[in-house]
C-alpha cells in the first residue's frame, strides 16, 4: 500500500445551514448554498472553468426524495456539465468516500481540481420512512427481520461496551452535553442550543403554563426526565443525532495548482477506508468498530503521523456511543479509557484534544450523505482560524483528522489534514 | 425452485427456519461454522460447506429494547408503549446471529444481562395481507 503520488490540498469548503427544511429548501437549495459558501472561502476565487469534475456523495435520494441519478443533477446546478459527475454511496460515509476518491484521482495526475458535493435531504418522508430508509444500510435479510433499527444497532454496541468496560448512561450524556455546547457556537448547526439552554427553556415553559416547576439541579436531572425518552435502550433521544437536511461543498486541488487559489492550502496527507461485515453478528467484536481501526491504520501510515499527533478531530457521533468507540478505535485512548477523558473534559473546545468542535452529528445535524464532507468543512475552518462565534480553538491547529462511518460501521473513511 | 434442493441458499435457510430448524454450514476444509449457512466458508472462502443443525443454545452478546421500531415490527404490534428486544446471540457452536429476544421484560431492559443463557424459539408471524412465516427468536434458557 503506497503513498499519494503527489500532494493534494483543500482550498475551499462550506456547508448550507443544516436543519429540517423541506419543502422550503430541497436538494438544489442546499447544494447551491453550500457551493456559494465554499466559493467564498477560496482566497483568490474559483470558477466552474477551473474545475474538472464533480464527485457527489449521497446515501439515498432514491428513498428520501424518489430521485436517482444525482451526479449530473448536482453538476448542472453549478455549471460543471459536461464534465464527469459520478455519485458515491456508502451509507453515512458517502461523501467521505467521494472526497477520498477525488483525492486519489488528483494524486494520480488525471485531474488537478475536483469539486466534492455531499448532500442529503431527509425530511421529505415522514419519520417512519426515515427510520426505514436508514435501516436499509443494515443487513436487510437478517438484521432487519430481527427488528434492528439504526439506533438499535448502536444500542446493541452500547450494551456490550457497558458490560465489558462499565460504561454508563452518564458517560453517554456527557458526550451529548459537550457536543451541544459546541453546536451552540455554530451558525450552520441545526440545534444551536446547549442542553442547559433546552432545560431552562423547558422550565420557563412549565412556569409559563402555571405548572409545577421541576427541581432539576443540572442537565443530568433534565435528561432523566420524560424530555429524554428511550429510543432503543440504553440509548435515549439525546444519544441520537438529528434527522437533517443539508449540503456540503469542498474544493480539492493538486500541489501544482493549489497556490493559484490560496497561499494557505490545507494538505490532505493521509486517507484510509476500511470495511467490516454489514451484519454486526458477522463481526469478531461488538465493542470496537474494525473498519475504523483499519481506515485509521492506513491514514496514519500514509501520513507518517500517529494518534497523538491529531490536535483536533471531527468523529462520527451518529450516537453518543459511536463517539466513545471512535476515540478508542482511532487509538486516541485505550479501549475502555475514553470515558475518563470525557469526564475530564479533555475533548471540550478548551481541552487538550477537542473533538467535534462543530457540534458533531448530535447538534450540528446529520444529513447522512453530506456528513463526511461537512466534517472536512469544520476542520478547514479550524485550521484556517475562521470558525464562527466562540467556536475557534485557542491554539494553532497544524494537524487534524476526520472520521466518517457508514451504517453500523460496515464502512469507515479517515482523512488526515496538515498545514 | 432450485435444481439442487439441498443447495446452501438464503431461501433454503429460511425454509429450514419455517420447519423449526436453525441451520448453519460447516466447512469441510477448515471446520468453520457459519450461521446463517453460507455456500462459501467465511474463513477460507472455499465452496465446500455442508448443512449442520445448531443446538439452539447460546448467550446474549448484545441487546437493545427498541421503542421506535421498524415498520415490520410496528405491523407485528409493537410501539413506544410495547417495546421489543433486538439481540445478537453468540451460539454455543461459535457464530453469532441476530434475533428477537422474547420471554423477557422489554419495559425493564436493565433486568436483561449480556451473557445471559438463552435458547432458540421459532416465532410464527401472522400479519394480515402477508404470507405466514417463521422468524428466528430466542428466550431465556
Ligand atoms: Zn473453511
Amino acid at each position: 500500500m503506497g503513498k499519494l503520488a503527489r500532494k493534494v490540498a483543500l482550498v475551499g469548503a462550506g456547508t448550507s445551514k443544516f436543519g429540517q427544511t423541506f419543502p422550503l429548501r430541497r436538494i438544489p437549495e442546499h447544494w447551491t448554498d453550500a457551493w456559494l459558501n465554499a466559493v467564498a472561502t477560496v482566497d483568490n476565487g474559483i470558477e466552474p472553468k477551473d474545475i474538472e469534475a464533480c464527485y457527489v456523495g449521497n446515501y439515498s435520494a432514491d428513498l428520501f426524495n424518489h430521485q436517482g441519478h444525482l451526479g449530473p443533477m448536482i453538476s448542472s446546478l453549478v455549471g460543471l456539465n459536461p464534465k464527469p459527475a459520478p455519485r458515491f454511496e456508502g451509507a453515512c460515509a458517502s461523501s467521505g468516500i467521494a472526497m477520498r476518491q477525488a483525492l486519489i484521482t488528483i494524486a494520480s495526475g488525471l485531474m488537478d481540481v475536483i469539486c466534492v458535493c455531499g448532500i442529503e435531504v431527509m425530511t421529505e418522508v415522514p419519520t417512519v420512512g426515515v427510520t426505514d430508509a436508514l435501516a436499509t444500510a443494515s443487513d436487510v435479510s437478517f438484521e432487519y427481520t430481527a427488528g434492528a433499527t439504526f439506533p438499535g444497532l448502536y444500542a446493541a454496541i452500547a450494551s456490550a461496551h457497558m458490560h465489558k468496560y462499565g460504561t454508563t448512561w452518564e458517560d453517554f450524556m456527557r458526550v451529548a452535553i459537550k457536543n451541544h455546547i459546541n453546536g451552540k457556537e455554530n451558525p450552520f448547526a441545526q440545534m444551536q442550543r446547549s442542553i442547559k439552554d433546552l432545560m431552562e427553556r423547558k422550565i420557563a415553559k412549565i412556569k409559563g403554563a402555571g405548572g409545577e416547576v421541576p427541581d432539576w439541579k443540572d442537565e443530568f436531572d433534565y435528561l432523566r426526565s420524560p424530555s429524554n425518552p428511550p429510543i432503543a435502550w440504553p440509548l435515549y433521544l439525546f444519544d441520537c443525532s438529528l434527522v437533517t437536511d443539508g449540503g456540503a461543498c469542498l474544493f480539492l486541488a493538486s500541489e501544482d495548482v493549489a497556490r493559484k487559489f490560496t497561499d494557505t492550502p490545507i494538505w490532505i496527507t493521509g486517507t484510509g477506508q476500511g470495511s467490516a461485515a454489514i451484519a454486526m453478528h458477522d463481526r469478531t467484536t461488538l465493542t470496537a468498530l474494525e473498519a475504523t481501526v483499519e481506515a485509521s491504520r492506513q491514514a496514519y501510515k500514509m501520513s507518517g503521523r500517529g494518534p497523538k499527533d491529531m490536535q483536533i478531530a471531527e468523529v462520527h457521533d451518529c450516537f453518543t456511543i459511536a463517539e466513545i468507540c471512535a476515540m478508542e478505535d482511532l487509538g486516541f485512548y485505550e479501549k475502555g479509557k475514553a470515558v475518563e477523558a470525557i469526564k475530564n473534559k479533555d475533548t471540550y473546545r478548551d481541552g487538550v484534544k477537542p473533538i467535534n468542535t462543530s457540534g458533531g452529528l448530535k447538534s450540528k445535524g446529520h444529513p447522512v450523505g453530506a456528513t463526511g464532507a461537512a466534517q472536512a468543512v469544520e476542520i478547514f475552518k479550524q485550521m484556517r482560524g475562521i470558525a464562527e462565534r466562540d467556536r475557534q480553538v485557542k491554539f494553532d491547529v497544524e494537524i487534524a483528522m476526520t472520521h466518517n462511518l457508514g451504517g453500523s460501521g460496515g464502512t469507515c473513511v479517515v482523512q488526515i489534514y496538515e498545514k | 425452485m432450485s435444481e439442487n434442493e439441498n443447495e446452501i441458499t438464503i431461501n433454503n435457510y429460511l425454509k429450514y427456519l419455517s420447519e423449526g430448524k436453525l441451520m448453519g454450514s460447516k466447512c469441510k476444509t477448515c471446520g468453520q461454522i457459519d450461521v446463517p449457512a453460507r455456500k462459501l466458508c467465511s474463513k477460507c472462502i472455499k465452496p465446500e460447506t455442508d448443512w449442520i443443525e445448531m443446538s439452539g443454545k447460546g448467550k446474549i452478546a448484545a441487546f437493545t429494547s427498541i421503542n421506535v421500531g421498524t415498520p415490520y415490527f410496528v405491523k407485528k404490534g409493537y410501539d413506544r408503549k410495547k417495546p421489543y428486544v433486538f439481540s445478537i446471540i453468540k451460539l454455543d457452536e461459535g457464530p453469532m446471529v441476530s434475533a428477537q429476544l422474547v420471554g423477557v421484560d422489554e419495559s425493564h431492559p436493565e433486568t436483561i444481562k449480556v451473557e445471559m443463557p438463552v435458547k432458540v424459539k421459532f416465532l410464527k408471524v401472522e400479519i394480515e395481507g402477508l404470507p405466514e412465516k417463521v422468524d428466528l427468536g430466542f428466550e431465556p434458557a
Side-chain angles (χ1 to χ4, degrees):
Chain A
M1 188 113 53
K3 297 266 169 191
L4 295 172
R6 60 174 174 167
K7 285 169 74 182
V8 180
L10 188 55
V11 298
T15 68
S16 66
K17 161 73 178 71
F18 286 7
Q20 300 197 340
T21 66
F22 188 88
L24 298 178
R25 305 193 85 70
R26 310 182 188 201
I27 287 175
E29 290 80 25
H30 279 286
W31 167 232
T32 49
D33 284 356
W35 164 274
L36 291 172
N37 287 331
V39 167
T41 65
V42 182
D43 298 333
N44 305 330
I46 191 164
E47 291 178 42
K49 68 171 169 54
D50 301 321
I51 299 165
E52 291 157 281
C54 181
Y55 280 18
V56 179
N58 170 259
Y59 167 46
S60 198
D62 316 61
L63 294 175
F64 291 125
N65 320 102
H66 202 65
Q67 174 70 61
H69 204 182
L70 223 52
M73 177 186 176
I74 291 294
S75 63
S76 65
L77 287 165
V78 291
L80 292 177
N81 288 347
K83 294 155 187 170
R87 167 182 164 187
F88 299 86
E89 191 272 314
C92 323
S94 296
S95 59
I97 295 171
M99 178 184 175
R100 174 178 149 83
Q101 292 304 319
L103 172 70
I104 292 168
T105 305
I106 295 171
S108 79
L110 185 67
M111 295 180 189
D112 276 309
V113 182
I114 297 177
C115 158
V116 175
C117 162
I119 190 94
E120 206 81 62
V121 170
M122 303 169 71
T123 62
E124 187 167 348
V125 291
T127 308
V128 67
V130 174
T131 305
D132 210 35
L134 291 176
T136 67
S138 72
D139 181 318
V140 171
S141 298
F142 300 116
E143 289 183 322
Y144 185 74
T145 50
T149 58
F150 202 48
L153 290 168
Y154 278 93
I157 295 174
S159 77
H161 203 278
M162 290 165 94
H163 180 78
K164 188 162 181 187
Y165 301 112
T167 316
T168 64
W169 174 84
E170 284 82 0
D171 295 326
F172 299 148
M173 288 300 106
R174 284 185 188 102
V175 173
I177 290 168
K178 184 260 297 171
N179 287 349
H180 272 268
I181 287 172
N182 289 342
K184 185 178 178 178
E185 305 299 330
N186 186 348
F188 294 93
Q190 179 170 344
M191 278 190 88
Q192 298 171 32
R193 283 197 170 87
S194 68
I195 291 180
K196 202 170 178 196
D197 291 344
L198 293 168
M199 175 176 85
E200 282 162 1
R201 204 167 65 142
K202 181 87 184 178
I203 291 172
K205 208 173 150 193
I206 294 170
K207 258 187 198 161
E212 194 182 328
V213 178
D215 60 342
W216 296 328
K217 289 189 306 298
D218 56 16
E219 293 106 315
F220 291 96
D221 282 345
Y222 167 67
L223 292 166
R224 280 184 199 98
S225 79
S227 293
N228 187 22
I231 301 297
W233 186 94
L235 301 185
Y236 292 72
L237 184 64
F238 277 89
D239 286 289
C240 305
S241 57
L242 309 167
V243 172
T244 307
D245 305 325
C249 176
L250 309 172
F251 297 119
L252 270 59
S254 73
E255 60 182 322
D256 298 323
V257 303
R259 290 188 198 278
K260 258 179 31 189
F261 301 103
T262 178
D263 293 334
T264 53
I266 305 294
W267 302 104
I268 305 158
T269 58
T271 182
Q273 181 171 344
S275 310
I278 185 169
M280 274 177 14
H281 59 241
D282 283 334
R283 300 183 194 162
T284 54
T285 174
L286 298 175
T287 50
L289 294 177
E290 298 153 303
T292 296
V293 175
E294 173 59 18
S296 59
R297 186 192 66 77
Q298 294 169 15
Y300 288 139
K301 194 177 169 208
M302 185 182 286
S303 63
R305 304 291 183 180
K308 286 197 171 55
D309 298 319
M310 302 302 127
Q311 293 171 288
I312 64 168
E314 286 287 303
V315 309
H316 196 95
D317 60 321
C318 50
F319 299 94
T320 50
I321 178 65
E323 179 161 327
I324 292 171
C325 285
M327 289 165 68
E328 296 170 350
D329 300 338
L330 292 167
F332 296 173
Y333 302 92
E334 278 174 48
K335 284 307 289 183
K337 298 282 196 262
V339 296
E340 281 175 34
I342 292 164
K343 263 184 218 162
N344 212 20
K345 299 195 174 182
D346 288 350
T347 55
Y348 273 60
R349 280 203 309 279
D350 55 357
V352 294
K353 201 163 191 108
I355 289 180
N356 286 334
T357 54
S358 67
L361 285 48
K362 177 70 201 82
S363 177
K364 178 187 58 181
H366 184 25
V368 288
T371 282
Q375 291 176 320
V377 174
E378 176 67 8
I379 293 299
F380 177 83
K381 287 181 178 175
Q382 288 287 352
M383 292 184 83
R384 283 286 194 89
I386 58 168
E388 301 85 359
R389 295 187 188 153
D390 197 24
R391 199 166 90 257
Q392 181 66 46
V393 299
K394 300 291 181 268
F395 55 87
D396 188 27
V397 183
E398 299 274 350
I399 310 179
M401 173 188 270
T402 53
H403 160 264
N404 185 201
L405 284 175
S408 65
T411 296
C412 181
V413 181
V414 166
Q415 253 97 236
I416 292 173
Y417 308 76
E418 299 189 43
K419 265 189 195 159
Chain B
M1 199 62 212
S2 136
E3 281 176 19
N4 175 4
E5 279 190 28
N6 209 30
E7 191 183 349
I8 295 185
T9 60
I10 290 177
N11 199 50
N12 282 337
Y13 166 82
L14 295 174
K15 206 167 139 234
Y16 274 124
L17 211 58
S18 69
E19 294 162 5
K21 284 185 174 149
L22 176 57
M23 299 297 283
S25 55
K26 184 167 182 177
C27 176
K28 287 183 207 166
T29 307
C30 76
Q32 171 78 6
I33 294 174
D34 288 307
V35 182
R38 292 180 177 223
K39 189 166 181 169
L40 297 195
C41 163
S42 71
K43 199 168 165 192
C44 70
I45 321 296
K46 292 212 166 70
E48 286 115 35
T49 56
D50 264 342
W51 290 104
I52 179 173
E53 186 172 359
M54 296 293 105
S55 66
K57 289 185 202 141
K59 284 179 177 160
I60 299 174
F63 72 98
T64 171
S65 178
I66 297 185
N67 303 77
V68 183
T70 60
Y72 177 54
F73 271 67
V74 171
K75 279 193 198 120
K76 280 188 173 189
Y78 296 98
D79 60 25
R80 193 171 268 292
K81 292 206 174 73
K82 192 188 170 205
Y84 62 90
V85 172
F86 163 81
S87 63
I88 300 172
I89 305 298
K90 185 158 178 68
L91 299 172
D92 284 357
E93 289 87 351
M96 295 195 286
V97 289
S98 293
Q100 187 182 352
L101 183 65
V102 299
V104 290
D105 187 353
E106 289 93 345
S107 297
H108 295 94
E110 62 283 356
T111 61
I112 308 167
K113 302 285 177 207
V114 169
E115 282 183 24
M116 217 167 83
V118 293
K119 62 178 196 293
V120 73
K121 182 166 171 86
F122 298 96
L123 307 169
K124 198 185 267 189
V125 187
E126 290 170 38
I127 297 173
E128 217 187 295
L130 292 176
E132 197 178 290
K133 63 179 285 220
V134 172
D135 281 345
L136 180 62
F138 283 82
E139 62 183 354

